[in-house]
């Protein structure tokens, strides 16, 4: 298990019942849900960060309905291939810990242990993550200023979260793995076609990243059949499209009770090499 470090002095934080404390006496209270806020207020400009509550709740509802279960299984299989004995994982931008809690269970079923730490900038997401009670220590922090010492982790998961690759490199051990999930060009095209007259394709970032060696890319897709307006609305609201769409277009799916749309992903595995 990798401990958080103090955002003030950089020493390791020890966990106590209601707070975390470093040897210099800096203390950080746990929230009533159990996560700790390690975001330094002087480094932040606004009170609320990250995904808002509507988006977080929509995502939790959608994920808990199991529509992306195939993706979680796909991720677990790939992690096991590169990290067969488990190890220390960081879920960077963990959201509600849907993927990393599944990963813990996946390894546990095989009698292996992974230690996962979760970091997200959204308190709302961490509130839901805490409620999963999956034993993942959780902190509010920026992915660009992670509360961990250099070369701590065997693997960093970067699942639909910002690319803080330089910082991921810092906290990974040499030879450790950075594992990303990237939506492909046609991802959710069916949903977009229901909303936009001219649906656009997603931009897919280049696979090469500085200082990392890309050791594996693997694609998976699934035709999602959403058979309730609630499921369609949840999917829409958990995407960035919702927030970029005017109210007239948002209303186009208000009476839609069935939608088929393709989900298409690529998992990319990178190895840190000095
Ligand atoms: Zn300290």
């Amino acid at each position: 298990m990798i401990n958080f470090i103090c955002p003030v002095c950089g020493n390791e934080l020890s966990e106590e019942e209601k707070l975390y404390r470093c040897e210099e006496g800096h203390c950080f209270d746990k929230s009533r849900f159990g996560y700790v806020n390690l975001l330094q207020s002087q480094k932040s400009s606004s009170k609320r960060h990250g995904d808002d509550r509507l988006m977080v709740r929509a995502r939790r509802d959608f994920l808990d309905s199991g529509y992306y279960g195939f993706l979680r299984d796909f991720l677990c299989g790939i992690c096991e291939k590169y990290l067969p004995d488990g190890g220390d994982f960081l879920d960077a931008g963990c959201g509600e810990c849907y993927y990393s809690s599944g990963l813990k269970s996946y390894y546990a079923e095989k009698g292996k242990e992974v230690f996962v730490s979760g970091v997200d900038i959204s308190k709302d997401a961490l509130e839901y993550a805490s409620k999963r009670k999956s034993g993942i220590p959780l902190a509010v922090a920026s992915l660009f200023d992670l509360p961990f010492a250099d070369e701590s982790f065997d693997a960093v998961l970067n699942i639909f979260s910002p690319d803080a690759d330089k910082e991921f490199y810092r906290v990974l051990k040499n030879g450790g793995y950075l594992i990303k999930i990237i939506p492909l060009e046609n991802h959710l095209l069916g949903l977009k076609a229901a909303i936009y007259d001219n649906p656009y394709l997603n931009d897919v970032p280049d696979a090469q990243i500085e200082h990392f060696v890309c050791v594996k890319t693997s694609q998976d897709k699934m035709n999602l059949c959403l058979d309730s307006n609630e499921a369609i609305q949840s999917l829409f609201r958990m995407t960035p499209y919702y927030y970029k769409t005017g109210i007239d277009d948002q209303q186009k799916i208000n009476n839609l009770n069935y939608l088929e749309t393709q989900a298409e992903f690529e998992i990319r595995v990178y190895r840190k090499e000095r």
Side-chain angles (χ1 to χ4, degrees), residues 6 8-9 22 24 26:
C6 174
V8 180
C9 68
C22 76
E24 297 209 6
H26 302 121

Side-chain angles (χ1 to χ4, degrees), residues 88-101:
D88 287 304
F89 282 64
L90 169 63
D91 190 351
C94 61
E96 311 78 41
C97 287
Y98 174 75
Y99 298 98
S100 47
S101 62

Side-chain angles (χ1 to χ4, degrees), residues 146-163:
L146 290 167
F148 300 101
D150 297 353
E151 305 196 1
S152 292
F153 292 98
D154 299 299
V156 172
L157 304 178
N158 176 208
I159 303 171
F160 309 128
S161 56
D163 298 310

Side-chain angles (χ1 to χ4, degrees), residues 25-239:
H26 302 121
C27 291
F28 303 89
D29 290 338
K30 291 183 190 174
S31 74
R32 65 193 165 99
F33 303 101
Y35 65 80
V36 61
N37 187 349
L38 298 178
L39 197 65
Q40 289 293 82
S41 54
Q42 60 268 34
K43 289 184 189 169
S44 63
S45 53
S46 67
K47 265 190 164 171
R48 215 65 186 168
H49 295 273
D51 305 337
D52 79 1
R53 207 167 174 81
L54 176 72
M55 184 187 211
V56 169
R57 190 182 303 144
R59 195 167 59 203
R60 193 239 0 221
D61 291 347
F62 184 83
L63 293 173
D64 283 349
S65 300
Y67 290 107
Y68 279 1
F70 77 99
L71 179 59
R72 187 160 80 167
D73 295 344
F74 181 42
L75 173 72
C76 290
I78 288 195
C79 288
E80 192 188 18
K81 184 164 184 278
Y82 289 92
L83 296 125
D85 300 321
D88 287 304
F89 282 64
L90 169 63
D91 190 351
C94 61
E96 311 78 41
C97 287
Y98 174 75
Y99 298 98
S100 47
S101 62
L103 190 74
K104 276 193 81 161
S105 308
Y106 178 86
Y107 275 92
E109 281 167 17
K110 298 181 176 225
K112 295 171 187 173
E113 199 159 25
V114 290
F115 297 99
V116 183
S117 303
V119 163
D120 203 286
I121 198 96
S122 163
K123 288 181 185 177
D124 291 325
L126 292 185
E127 183 185 322
Y128 287 126
S130 304
K131 288 174 180 168
R132 287 194 194 278
K133 305 223 177 290
S134 49
I136 297 175
L138 299 164
V140 182
S142 165
L143 299 193
F144 297 91
D145 187 17
L146 290 167
F148 300 101
D150 297 353
E151 305 196 1
S152 292
F153 292 98
D154 299 299
V156 172
L157 304 178
N158 176 208
I159 303 171
F160 309 128
S161 56
D163 298 310
D165 298 334
K166 210 171 150 189
E167 187 66 345
F168 300 155
Y169 183 86
R170 182 184 70 77
V171 300
L172 271 173
K173 291 176 188 168
N174 195 30
Y177 292 99
L178 170 61
I179 299 166
K180 291 175 178 270
I181 300 184
I182 311 282
L184 294 173
E185 258 193 340
N186 294 312
H187 180 59
L188 301 185
L189 193 59
L191 174 68
K192 287 192 273 189
I195 298 158
Y196 306 116
D197 295 333
N198 297 304
Y200 57 94
L201 302 181
N202 295 313
D203 288 330
V204 180
D206 196 76
Q208 300 308 316
I209 316 176
E210 217 181 339
H211 305 302
F212 284 98
V213 178
C214 186
V215 293
K216 169 99 177 162
T217 61
S218 185
Q219 300 187 352
D220 199 5
K221 57 185 175 185
M222 176 72 82
N223 195 37
L224 302 177
C225 301
L226 308 177
D227 56 5
S228 71
N229 186 258
E230 198 185 352
I232 296 165
Q233 295 282 4
S234 290
L235 177 61
F236 184 35
R237 286 175 182 175
M238 69 186 255
T239 66

